[in-house]
Amino acid sequence: WAFFAGALLVTATGVGTSIHWLSHFSFAPATFFFESFLCMFGVMMLVLDTPVPHVQNHRHVQAVRHHIYKFALFMTRFMGRGVWYLFLATMVFGALWDTGINWFLGFVCTTYLTVLGIVAMGKGFLMSNKLDRARTRIVERGEPAERYVSGGKISTVQFQAAIESVTGDKLLFAPDELPYVINALSFSPFNNGMITLDEFRYWLAPGPALLV
């Protein structure tokens, strides 16, 4: 809900400031494009972060999410969203504060988006570090991915059990963190809480830590 609230703020700012400039019409192409992009970015984040299940499952929403996953994968990661919301905070600041439309709303909205971005980046860093520690433990054991993935895929519960067995830490990932971890491991935005054998192998392969 925190991300969805941020998306609402960005969209409302884009729509509100667009109406303001249309009602005070002047030839300002740069302002027009600025407000257009602010509205577009806000709508993108609404689609990505909507918490309403029947909206999430709508075919048009899923199509947009698929394109975001394909062309802007960083926006589906905690750290990526954190950086993105910091960028949107600067746009909201420019739209409300710099133009003098509403300094109070500019301060409140920018502060919320900035805090949201910083917290998201910190949360993403901590989860990425924990996930990489679990990967290191599995690699050190020298066991193949098939040891943990039976039948071609495993569920969220099975993945959590596998992580607990190698780290000995039952609280490594909180229940509300696991969906984001599964999303980071998955090759698809529609994973239904499952990890395939190929995705598990890719995670264990040598390389930098996977960002959550």
Side-chain angles (χ1 to χ4, degrees):
W1 283 96
F3 285 129
F4 186 65
L8 282 175
L9 285 179
V10 174
T11 305
T13 300
V15 173
T17 52
S18 296
I19 294 174
H20 170 84
W21 291 116
L22 287 174
S23 62
H24 300 77
F25 184 77
S26 61
F27 182 72
T31 300
F32 170 77
F33 283 109
F34 181 88
E35 303 300 340
S36 298
F37 276 106
L38 190 59
C39 289
M40 182 181 69
F41 293 154
V43 171
M44 285 174 58
M45 299 315 295
L46 281 176
V47 170
L48 190 63
D49 294 320
T50 177
V52 184
H54 73 271
V55 175
Q56 293 175 349
N57 296 326
H58 193 280
R59 61 188 181 90
H60 294 307
V61 172
Q62 289 195 346
V64 173
R65 282 186 163 188
H66 177 76
H67 284 88
I68 292 175
Y69 196 90
K70 183 177 181 180
F71 298 109
L73 184 62
F74 72 95
M75 290 172 62
T76 67
R77 302 291 187 260
F78 252 97
M79 294 187 70
R81 285 185 190 183
V83 174
W84 183 245
Y85 273 109
L86 286 178
F87 168 70
L88 292 178
T90 65
M91 293 190 69
V92 169
F93 183 84
L96 292 173
W97 181 286
D98 280 353
T99 58
I101 292 178
N102 193 310
W103 289 346
F104 174 74
L105 286 180
F107 172 77
V108 172
C109 294
T110 301
T111 300
Y112 178 83
L113 293 173
T114 300
V115 172
L116 178 64
I118 293 173
V119 171
M121 289 176 62
K123 182 74 170 179
F125 175 79
L126 292 176
M127 286 197 294
S128 299
N129 184 55
K130 289 191 292 186
L131 185 62
D132 193 56
R133 281 195 285 123
R135 180 185 72 159
T136 301
R137 294 285 181 85
I138 295 176
V139 172
E140 287 175 348
R141 285 190 170 200
E143 297 172 337
E146 290 81 0
R147 164 70 175 75
Y148 302 93
V149 183
S150 57
K153 60 177 60 177
I154 57 172
S155 66
T156 302
V157 175
Q158 292 171 316
F159 176 77
Q160 184 180 26
I163 295 301
E164 290 177 2
S165 69
V166 298
T167 62
D169 187 354
K170 294 184 178 181
L171 301 176
L172 185 64
F173 291 111
D176 61 332
E177 294 176 338
L178 283 170
Y180 296 101
V181 173
I182 299 300
N183 183 59
L185 293 171
S186 177
F187 293 160
S188 167
F190 314 112
N191 51 63
N192 297 319
M194 304 293 288
I195 303 174
T196 66
L197 179 59
D198 287 340
E199 291 165 349
F200 202 91
R201 283 173 175 166
Y202 181 81
W203 173 51
L204 296 182
L210 192 67
L211 296 182
V212 178

